[in-house]
């Protein structure tokens, strides 16, 4: 059984900072791409940032220069450092990972339960 658990959401004033963590646990053989998504009320879920095992990253334009994605491959953990937060960053943030479980034959897509980030103006 593989699971992803996010932590670190909360309420912050505009201009503030928050850090999110996502830990993958269970019968994991290998973790490939790890990603952060977010979903605001009434909107579709969107990719915020992604990071490969190599450390190569990609960001959506609205968060470039403000958010930093990183990972610790030894701990199967991913992080999202968010700075200069804006009210429009308010959303439920989900982590996502492509994971090969022990005994598996392919990478499967896993999601965390989500953590709320609220930025007040």
């Amino acid at each position: 059984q593989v699971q992803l658990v996010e932590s670190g959401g909360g309420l912050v004033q505009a201009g503030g900072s928050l850090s999110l963590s996502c830990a993958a646990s269970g019968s994991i053989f290998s973790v490939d791409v790890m990603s952060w998504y977010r979903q605001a009320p009434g909107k579709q879920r969107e990719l915020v940032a992604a990071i490969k095992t190599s450390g190569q990253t990609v960001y959506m334009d609205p968060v470039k220069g403000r958010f930093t994605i990183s990972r610790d491959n030894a701990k199967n953990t991913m992080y999202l450092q968010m700075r200069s937060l804006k009210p429009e960053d308010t959303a439920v943030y989900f982590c996502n990972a492509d994971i090969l479980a022990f005994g598996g034959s392919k990478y499967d897509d896993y999601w965390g339960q989500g953590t709320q980030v609220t930025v007040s103006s």
Side-chain angles (χ1 to χ4, degrees):
Q1 191 77 7
V2 173
Q3 63 176 353
L4 299 179
V5 178
E6 301 106 335
S7 61
L11 173 65
V12 65
Q13 288 188 330
S17 300
L18 275 177
S19 293
L20 305 181
S21 298
C22 170
S25 63
S27 299
I28 297 171
F29 181 79
S30 176
V31 181
D32 194 5
V33 178
M34 301 186 79
S35 308
W36 287 102
Y37 285 76
R38 68 185 184 187
Q39 187 166 19
K43 294 188 177 181
Q44 289 188 330
R45 190 172 298 189
E46 59 184 2
L47 175 67
V48 176
I51 184 168
K52 293 184 176 181
T53 307
S54 64
Q56 183 179 354
T57 59
V58 62
Y59 296 91
M60 64 182 298
D61 285 344
V63 308
K64 285 181 179 177
R66 299 189 298 120
F67 290 12
T68 302
I69 189 172
S70 61
R71 64 189 285 174
D72 184 332
N73 292 328
K75 297 181 179 179
N76 290 328
T77 300
M78 172 179 63
Y79 308 94
L80 186 68
Q81 177 67 40
M82 303 181 290
R83 299 178 295 273
S84 301
L85 283 161
K86 304 175 181 180
E88 51 264 43
D89 294 318
T90 295
V92 178
Y93 283 70
F94 297 89
C95 70
N96 171 271
D98 296 328
I99 296 174
L100 176 62
F102 277 107
S105 59
K106 63 179 179 66
Y107 284 84
D108 289 317
D109 198 38
Y110 290 87
W111 290 90
Q113 80 286 357
T115 185
Q116 178 70 46
V117 171
T118 302
V119 184
S120 63
S121 56

